[in-house]
Amino acid sequence: MALQQSISASKLQRKVGTTQQILIDTVSDEGSTGRTRADAPEIDGVVHLPGVTEFQPGELVEAEITDADEYDLWVS
Amino acid sequence: MTHSDVGMATTEGGEKVGFISLGCPKALVDSERILTQLRIEGYEITPHYEDAGVVIVNTCGFIDAAKEESLEAIGEAISENGRVLVTGCMGRGEDAETIRTRHPKVLGISGPAAYEEVLGTVREVLPHRHQPNPLVDLIPAQGVKLTPRHYAYLKISEGCNHRCRFCIIPSIRGDLVSRPIGSVMDEAEGLARAGVRELLVVSQDTSAYGVDLKYQTDFWQGRPLKSNLESLASALSELGIWVRLHYVYPYPHVDALIPMMAGQAAPLYRHAAPARRSKRVATHEAARSHRKNPRSHRTLARSMPGSDNPLHFYRRLPRGDRGRVRDTSPIYRNSAAGSCWLLPILGC
């Protein structure tokens, strides 16, 4: 898993700075989560949008990816 | 308990059923189908053991860990409620015997996709006294879903014609039986109309779709379509929503999907499923030439409670706008050989 993790991390790093279409999955007072086109639900990673609260689950938005770790992406 | 009359406005509900859905997305679709039929017949679904007249457990028999989890779920349902029906992939053969031995109090055991059998047993052990009233017993047109409202699973076939030595699936689910494409597209269209924004196409072997039907022509919206993967992908792309194809094995004809995905991230796969190494590498190279990002996936999905959020699109991307490069709606291919080959690598 450690090898997969580092491969995943570098692939996701390449997405930082790109604009992605994101399908919003959950929205709370703290922010939203969603998935890009490459992310299957409950299988792949997610996109975190902290502080973003104006959307509803199921909305499609475009945003620039600002950060990434081994499995997830961030828009902040 | 009084017998409710269809003509009366009644607050009395129907008999309540509890449901535990384990296993993969294909099993989840089976759970959805059973729940939909239960709701049609006037049963209510409850998340509380103490309220349920019977609890159904849809089991997974894919690997030892899954079987153990299924047996524990059955045990918990028996101790918390006592009236338990077992169905699903452990409900046949040796696994069914294991269940009978370990949990003799189970009221009934049936195999996977045994919808009629489950319903029949529920009617026996929990006869419903509530007449379904279409005015109050609302069921969504697309059926009961176990996913949030914005995405849904679409099962296009059952079973698998391969006999991979490491895989138990064909002995549980049988040979490939594909749904005619008209039926699949009608369901997909209904889901899109109901507000689903992402379709997750699932089966045991999505690439093989239609081979048992000899790719027969079927009709959708009055148009003839062949029951094969390329036609299906093309037709689904007309719906204007995300389409994610799971369980796509690298058969040669699958290459035809790659141009449809031009410009997208296309997950790839390498595994010990049918295809010689040279073919897999060739597919990988073809995809690279379209600038894809290879990815490998593992599927082991669980059921999720439905979300009640209504869909309000106040800043949605217009349906026609899918970006600069492509002129068809996006189709993404995620593939996983169930969980088989990835399990040793992921340490599960």
Side-chain angles (χ1 to χ4, degrees), chain B:
Chain B
M1 190 178 278
T2 58
H3 190 95
S4 39
D5 189 50
V6 175
M8 285 165 48
T10 176
T11 55
E12 178 182 312
E15 301 300 327
K16 295 186 170 59
V17 177
F19 204 107
I20 299 163
S21 181
L22 302 169
C24 68
K26 287 86 72 189
L28 186 146
V29 170
D30 290 337
S31 297
E32 291 176 337
R33 290 173 178 172
I34 295 171
L35 287 167
T36 300
Q37 193 55 38
L38 286 169
R39 289 281 295 118
I40 287 171
E41 296 195 12
Y43 290 96
E44 287 183 20
I45 314 300
T46 175
H48 305 295
Y49 281 123
E50 58 267 22
D51 294 339
V54 71
V55 177
I56 302 171
V57 183
N58 190 10
T59 56
C60 172
F62 189 57
I63 53 172
D64 288 344
K67 295 190 205 191
E68 195 47 49
E69 184 179 0
S70 297
L71 289 164
E72 279 172 20
I74 296 168
E76 179 183 288
I78 287 180
S79 79
E80 297 284 340
N81 178 282
R83 294 164 60 77
V84 176
L85 288 183
V86 171
T87 187
C89 289
M90 278 193 78
R92 296 181 29 172
E94 275 185 36
D95 289 337
E97 280 315 305
T98 306
I99 295 172
R100 266 185 206 100
T101 309
R102 209 153 120 176
H103 299 294
K105 291 190 186 159
V106 164
L107 296 176
I109 304 179
S110 50
Y115 315 130
E116 275 313 309
E117 208 177 325
V118 172
L119 266 297
T121 311
V122 171
R123 289 180 208 119
E124 270 176 45
V125 306
L126 191 67
H128 60 101
R129 293 170 223 145
H130 172 76
Q131 296 283 63
N133 181 348
L135 297 178
V136 296
D137 292 319
L138 299 175
I139 300 154
Q142 66 278 15
V144 172
K145 292 295 170 199
L146 292 173
T147 50
R149 287 175 61 174
H150 61 282
Y151 64 85
Y153 287 101
L154 180 65
K155 185 154 69 161
I156 64 173
S157 70
E158 192 66 80
C160 182
N161 284 345
H162 294 290
R163 295 294 182 264
C164 301
R165 296 186 60 170
F166 48 79
C167 179
I168 200 176
I169 291 296
S171 66
I172 297 176
R173 291 275 185 171
D175 287 340
L176 180 73
V177 176
S178 302
R179 292 172 62 187
I181 194 169
S183 159
V184 174
M185 286 310 304
D186 283 343
E187 184 179 348
E189 193 179 15
L191 290 168
R193 213 180 290 123
V196 166
R197 301 291 295 171
E198 180 182 13
L199 281 177
L200 307 158
V201 175
V202 295
S203 71
Q204 302 295 349
D205 184 353
T206 296
S207 302
Y209 172 67
V211 68
D212 58 309
L213 299 174
K214 302 193 192 341
Y215 308 119
Q216 81 189 26
T217 299
D218 195 17
F219 291 86
W220 176 59
Q221 295 182 342
R223 295 147 48 191
L225 288 174
K226 283 201 170 309
S227 297
N228 65 27
L229 184 59
E230 194 181 344
S231 291
L232 178 64
S234 177
L236 286 170
S237 75
E238 296 178 24
L239 297 176
I241 58 178
W242 283 12
V243 176
R244 198 180 296 282
L245 304 177
H246 286 261
Y247 310 102
V248 176
Y249 290 80
Y251 305 163
H253 67 260
V254 166
D255 287 357
L257 293 182
I258 295 177
M260 282 191 211
M261 300 190 296
Q264 323 288 328
L268 270 183
Y269 40 83
R270 287 199 186 87
H271 50 63
R276 290 188 355 262
R277 186 179 182 278
S278 57
K279 279 211 177 346
R280 297 199 305 269
V281 170
T283 307
H284 182 85
E285 290 308 311
R288 259 199 205 290
S289 73
H290 287 82
R291 274 168 277 134
K292 308 273 179 292
N293 302 317
R295 225 173 253 269
S296 55
H297 294 280
R298 160 181 184 233
T299 304
L300 195 63
R302 302 284 297 275
S303 65
M304 279 181 62
S307 158
D308 283 330
N309 284 334
L311 294 173
H312 295 305
F313 298 103
Y314 76 79
R315 237 193 83 181
R316 58 188 277 211
L317 293 183
R319 284 207 164 167
D321 172 18
R322 288 286 177 259
R324 312 167 290 285
V325 184
R326 50 210 161 273
D327 53 8
T328 61
S329 294
I331 299 175
Y332 293 97
R333 179 177 60 173
N334 287 8
S335 55
S339 308
C340 36
W341 76 286
L342 284 167
L343 287 173
I345 296 173
L346 294 178
C348 297

